[in-house]
Amino acid sequence: MHKLVLVAAFASFIAGPAWAVECTPITKKQVEGLFDRWNASLATLDPQKVVENYAPDAVLLPTLSNKPRVTQEERKAYFKDFLKKKPQGKIDSRTIRIGCNKVTDTGLYTFTMADGTKVPARYTFTYEVEHGKWLIASHHSSAMPEHKN
């Protein structure tokens, strides 16, 4: 019996700190601010500013391209073209789920382009903490499949 207690105590001592995960706190209001930060970067019309919101290994499945963007250069190339339309997004509805160092913001948004065109779409942003900053780990956006007449 004493050997079992000793083994358990030793395993706890060794594994304890190594397995401890510290969760970075975030509120729903702060998650909403992450979208606002991304949307404000669109307004700069600078693809580099937009890309700075994404983790280096993020996946972007964009609305207006069939190609997944998995590098910063690919994302920058996508936003270079997308920003020519001077898009501004507005959240129509959302569901936010907060976990330990990971957040998901999923819902509907509408982009208004400089020419007045409105593009309603579905979205999912997954954010993760990297070096103390919340960055987009994945972003999926797709135009709404049903057209209103």
Side-chain angles (χ1 to χ4, degrees), residues 61-135:
L61 301 174
T63 308
L64 302 178
S65 173
N66 291 332
K67 179 183 177 185
R69 308 303 171 122
V70 296
T71 68
Q72 294 295 55
E73 285 306 312
E74 288 175 341
R75 286 184 285 279
K76 192 173 178 179
Y78 172 76
F79 284 113
K80 182 178 179 185
D81 286 336
F82 185 61
L83 292 175
K84 290 176 184 175
K85 301 173 186 348
K86 299 182 180 177
Q88 274 302 285
K90 179 184 152 299
I91 299 291
D92 300 318
S93 66
R94 68 171 10 132
T95 300
I96 293 172
R97 302 230 190 283
I98 298 174
C100 180
N101 297 327
K102 187 174 186 176
V103 173
T104 304
D105 180 359
T106 303
L108 304 177
Y109 55 13
T110 300
F111 283 100
T112 302
M113 307 304 181
D115 67 0
T117 303
K118 293 193 181 288
V119 180
R122 300 173 288 193
Y123 74 88
T124 299
F125 285 97
T126 303
Y127 300 94
E128 293 180 359
V129 176
E130 189 163 308
H131 306 294
K133 185 175 181 181
W134 287 94
L135 296 173

Side-chain angles (χ1 to χ4, degrees), residues 5 13 15 27 33 35 53 60 62 72 86 108 122 126 134 148:
V5 171
F13 172 76
T27 65
F35 173 81
N53 292 288
L60 169 63
Q72 294 295 55
K86 299 182 180 177
L108 304 177
R122 300 173 288 193
T126 303
W134 287 94
K148 293 182 179 179

Side-chain angles (χ1 to χ4, degrees), residues 38 46 61-62:
W38 177 80
D46 181 349
L61 301 174

